[in-house]
Amino acid sequence: MIRLSRLPMDELRERTIRAIRRAGWPGAVGLGLIAFSLAFSYSAAELQDKREAELVTERTKLMKVAASPVGGSNTNRARLTAFYDRFAKASELSNVLADIHLAAQRRGLLPERADYRSAVVTGTPLVRINATLPIEGRFDALYAWLGEVMRDHPGVVIDQMSLKRESAQATTLSADVRLSVLVRGGE
């Protein structure tokens, strides 16, 4: 066997071309596929390493937030009270629902109707209001609306969402969104 490190580049190139010609077109295609897969794996690995670094940074930030005490007091009762204080009061329910509808209207998604049901959450001072909203519009507008609602109202939960499109080319869709709005009851 000849050592490749001692061959001049021209001779190495010539031997490679000869080997490919001997292998025929299947060999050339195979070599091309190998080269493509190596190049693709190197580019994908770089993107994955970058994403992994981003996720490690995000996880570190979230762990710091989770480890920090809530409100400066460490008693279970104080933490539970601080948790419930994050929810809107029952007297503010109409403002929360109006804000949800106004956010939908700003994105052109105002539902034609809405069905509401309420129930006390057993063992807590919370009341759950289930709102079913049939909506038609673009997916990006729906996604932005739900993001805004979830960001602005920590007591709103997406319970269920079903999406329907007339065809693959359709730019609008029909969605049935069921939200739960949790408020502190009796206030």
Side-chain angles (χ1 to χ4, degrees):
M1 175 143 198
I2 300 173
R3 298 179 95 187
L4 294 178
S5 61
R6 295 192 177 179
L7 292 176
M9 271 316 253
D10 290 337
E11 188 176 338
L12 182 61
R13 187 177 333 125
E14 183 180 321
R15 284 184 181 215
T16 304
I17 290 172
R18 232 182 288 139
I20 292 172
R21 285 185 180 158
R22 269 191 304 228
W25 70 268
V29 169
L31 186 62
L33 288 172
I34 290 171
F36 174 76
S37 65
L38 286 173
F40 183 74
S41 68
Y42 285 126
S43 66
E46 183 179 323
L47 290 174
Q48 288 175 348
D49 290 343
K50 181 180 175 184
R51 180 67 180 144
E52 181 182 5
E54 290 172 356
L55 288 173
V56 166
T57 303
E58 184 178 347
R59 182 181 183 276
T60 303
K61 288 179 185 176
L62 289 173
M63 293 301 285
K64 285 180 184 176
V65 169
S68 66
V70 178
S73 179
N74 287 333
T75 66
N76 287 339
R77 174 55 73 191
R79 286 195 313 230
L80 186 61
T81 302
F83 171 75
Y84 286 132
D85 286 344
R86 293 178 184 166
F87 295 96
K89 296 178 183 176
S91 61
E92 299 170 359
L93 176 61
S94 60
N95 294 338
V96 172
L97 294 176
D99 194 36
I100 290 171
H101 284 276
L102 289 173
Q105 184 180 22
R106 282 192 298 272
R107 303 213 187 298
L109 299 173
L110 189 61
E112 295 176 19
R113 62 179 170 75
D115 296 324
Y116 298 100
R117 290 184 176 79
S118 66
V120 174
V121 180
T122 307
T124 71
L126 299 177
V127 175
R128 174 188 296 258
I129 292 82
N130 292 321
T132 304
L133 308 165
I135 293 177
E136 290 199 22
R138 296 180 52 85
F139 178 77
D140 55 344
L142 176 67
Y143 188 80
W145 169 64
L146 288 173
E148 180 181 346
V149 168
M150 299 301 291
R151 182 190 69 235
D152 294 346
H153 303 286
V156 175
V157 179
I158 301 172
D159 285 332
Q160 181 180 358
M161 182 168 59
S162 63
L163 305 172
K164 297 175 194 164
R165 266 194 323 187
E166 293 295 321
S167 69
Q169 294 79 21
T171 58
T172 60
L173 53 85
S174 298
D176 286 326
V177 180
R178 191 172 77 202
L179 302 175
S180 286
V181 181
L182 296 167
V183 293
R184 286 179 283 153
E187 295 182 37

